Amino acid sequence: MELLDWSLLNATLRMVAPILLAALGGMLCARVGIFNVGLEGLILIGAFSGIAGNYYTHNVFFAIVIAAGASLLFALLFGMMVVVFKANEIVVGVSINFLALGLTTFLLRTIFHTKGAYYDKNMHGIGTWDIPLIKDIPVIGDIISGQSPLVYFAFLAAIAFYIFFYRTIFGFRLLAVGYNKVAASTLGLKAIRYQLFAIAACGILCGIAGAQLSLGQVTMFSEGMTSGRGFIALVAMMLGQSHPLGILASSILFGLMDAVSTRLQGFSIPTEFTMMVPYVLTLAAMFFLRDKGVETNQTSQQSAR
């Protein structure tokens, strides 16, 4: 087995999707002046709801919709507490993470009557798409083709958000709310509505990210299976300066490290060390972004006031 080959890039695209989708959701919140640290919990809720939805409906599409809907409800709970009741966004975000971890563990035992993980060999996950023409191109076809539809959706979403923010009136208004909530309100913009919209969209994206994690990469759910991807998404968001294309680039970097850590397990390297790779990069990024992170959080707090 080789460490670096074209299949590694194929795996990178698969690994990057949950991080990218969650980071785009975090970007939406940041753009309206809210620092959402509850991404981890929202992804976990989506991952569990995707498996549960598939279990009850036997339909992958409905399972993805259920995953997005469940995360949306939790995101609206976050939005209600932060935007309407003016609770501290960090405290509420951390609470959402713990609530999601405890609730999914409880429901795993209640619904599936199992501990640790649920797997059904008869359950069908999200299939892969072979893109016509591209799949026949040497190297490029091996890298791009044969991915889950949600992988392609994630990359298209990044491009769509760039157009949305910088080419549409609604996008400009949403950015205005984040730059100065009070000034935007004096211009007649309903700042609370824009913030709730961003938080709701964040919930949907995190739900889809969770569905990709539990139904696209593997067809199973295990307790805490997000393994810090929500926090990595936050770092990707800050590393990308809350810009859609910047987030796309930083998410690819983290996805590559995730794929490398998986590949290293085939070289008789202890799993404890291989799993550290993406998180070492995360810590390094946090070190270089420590001033930027404080600035982003202060901006969010000022905008929220």
Side-chain angles (χ1 to χ4, degrees), residues 35-243:
F35 190 70
N36 189 352
V37 298
L39 300 182
E40 178 83 359
L42 295 178
I43 300 173
L44 188 60
I45 288 294
F48 178 83
S49 300
I51 288 292
N54 199 354
Y55 175 79
Y56 284 110
T57 65
H58 304 288
N59 186 291
V60 175
F61 176 77
F62 288 148
I64 296 173
V65 173
I66 291 172
S71 293
L72 170 62
L73 292 177
F74 275 77
L76 290 177
L77 174 62
F78 172 86
M80 185 66 66
M81 296 300 296
V82 172
V83 177
V84 179
F85 296 111
K86 308 299 181 182
N88 185 283
E89 57 196 11
I90 304 298
V91 174
V92 177
V94 172
S95 300
I96 290 292
N97 291 334
F98 282 111
L99 176 61
L101 182 60
L103 184 61
T104 53
T105 300
F106 171 75
L107 292 178
L108 180 64
R109 302 180 183 185
T110 302
I111 296 176
F112 300 113
H113 308 289
T114 185
K115 297 180 180 180
Y118 171 76
Y119 170 75
D120 183 358
K121 63 180 181 180
N122 297 319
M123 180 179 289
H124 297 287
I126 302 173
T128 57
W129 282 357
D130 289 321
I131 306 176
L133 300 179
I134 293 182
K135 67 178 182 179
D136 298 323
I137 302 177
V139 180
I140 295 179
D142 295 333
I143 297 174
I144 298 178
S145 188
Q147 299 285 355
S148 160
L150 297 185
V151 173
Y152 303 123
F153 171 78
F155 283 85
L156 291 176
I159 299 173
F161 275 121
Y162 174 79
I163 298 174
F164 168 73
F165 279 131
Y166 304 108
R167 296 293 185 272
T168 68
I169 295 177
F170 188 83
F172 284 131
R173 291 175 176 174
L174 192 142
L175 291 176
V177 171
Y179 284 135
N180 194 315
K181 181 180 177 181
V182 176
S185 298
T186 60
L187 295 176
L189 298 181
K190 304 294 184 181
I192 292 180
R193 293 183 181 179
Y194 282 92
Q195 288 182 321
L196 289 176
F197 167 81
I199 293 172
C202 173
I204 293 174
L205 288 171
C206 288
I208 297 175
Q212 165 63 18
L213 194 61
S214 62
L215 293 173
Q217 295 186 6
V218 293
T219 308
M220 64 172 293
F221 176 82
S222 61
E223 296 178 10
M225 71 179 301
T226 47
S227 301
R229 285 179 174 83
F231 299 110
I232 292 177
L234 280 176
V235 178
M237 179 198 73
M238 292 187 289
L239 187 62
Q241 303 290 308
S242 293
H243 189 285

